[in-house]
Amino acid sequence: MLGPLSLGVDAGECVCISGPSGTGKSQLLRAIADLDPHDGEVLLDGQPAGSIKPQRWRARVGLLPPESHWWLSTPGGHFPGGSPVAPGELGLPDDIMDQPVERLSSGEKQRLALLRLLANRPQVLLLDEPTANLDPANTARAETVINRYRESSAAAVIWISHDPAQVARVGCRALRLADGRLQAQGAGA
């Protein structure tokens, strides 16, 4: 059973959450994103989620799940306004937007899903292990892109990670979810 939990994240802050598998980290992010029913209250700039139209909430509070879903045959169709970041900044080839989705690796899809999320310009990023399928070089690229976005947009970030070194690199604050409770960990970067 998860919660009850209380978590506040300031604009421009990155809070990393770790903990054993199956403790509810993904469930917490899905509740904040208003994708799963819950008994709690989620606020953005003092406004309850229920007072904001669901499509607007999900644009302002963006979730990057562990596995991305693609409904068009190529990634480019998912970016009608263009990519917010050049694909090369994430180690992707220039022609990636024209590649068939079914031929992309899980790491390529994961990086493209990050670009798709950032294209919405959310105020809050909910990142569920955003670098889990990436090698160290592409992990570093993704961390740089996310950090740059967080700083330039003053976006609040909740980042799920099982990697203590990553938590130390990217987190302003570190929490551990265990036994249905959030507990403070050592400070991050």
Side-chain angles (χ1 to χ4, degrees):
M1 172 106 182
L2 184 61
L5 302 174
S6 179
L7 173 62
V9 182
D10 292 329
E13 181 182 27
C14 179
V15 174
C16 289
I17 300 176
S18 61
S21 296
T23 58
K25 297 179 299 295
S26 296
Q27 181 184 358
L28 173 62
L29 294 188
R30 288 184 57 79
I32 294 169
D34 196 31
L35 295 173
D36 287 345
H38 58 87
D39 294 329
E41 183 174 45
V42 182
L43 305 172
L44 178 62
D45 293 333
Q47 284 187 282
S51 72
I52 300 171
K53 291 184 179 185
Q55 303 110 293
R56 182 72 183 128
W57 180 267
R58 291 185 192 114
R60 292 174 70 189
V61 179
L63 172 66
L64 183 65
E67 294 182 30
S68 59
H69 298 283
W70 301 88
W71 49 93
L72 300 174
S73 61
T74 63
H78 295 271
F79 296 89
S83 176
V85 175
E89 288 189 46
L90 285 171
L92 295 166
D94 292 337
D95 67 346
I96 191 84
M97 295 298 184
D98 299 321
Q99 300 288 328
V101 169
E102 69 271 1
R103 291 194 182 152
L104 300 176
S105 73
S106 58
E108 288 170 327
K109 289 178 188 174
Q110 193 169 28
R111 287 174 281 161
L112 284 165
L114 173 60
L115 291 179
R116 185 173 61 186
L117 175 70
L118 296 180
N120 288 329
R121 307 285 308 153
Q123 289 176 256
V124 178
L125 298 177
L126 305 173
L127 307 175
D128 198 346
E129 299 188 63
T131 61
N133 294 320
L134 304 182
D135 60 73
N138 285 315
T139 292
R141 288 181 181 110
E143 288 174 358
T144 298
V145 166
I146 293 165
N147 190 50
R148 190 178 323 129
Y149 180 83
R150 177 181 63 85
E151 290 176 348
S152 68
S153 327
V157 178
I158 302 176
W159 188 317
I160 305 296
S161 178
H162 288 285
D163 180 355
Q166 182 175 64
V167 169
R169 282 191 309 270
V170 303
C172 301
R173 200 165 27 121
L175 303 173
R176 180 171 173 77
L177 181 60
D179 301 321
R181 298 181 42 176
L182 282 172
Q183 300 165 342
Q185 296 285 103

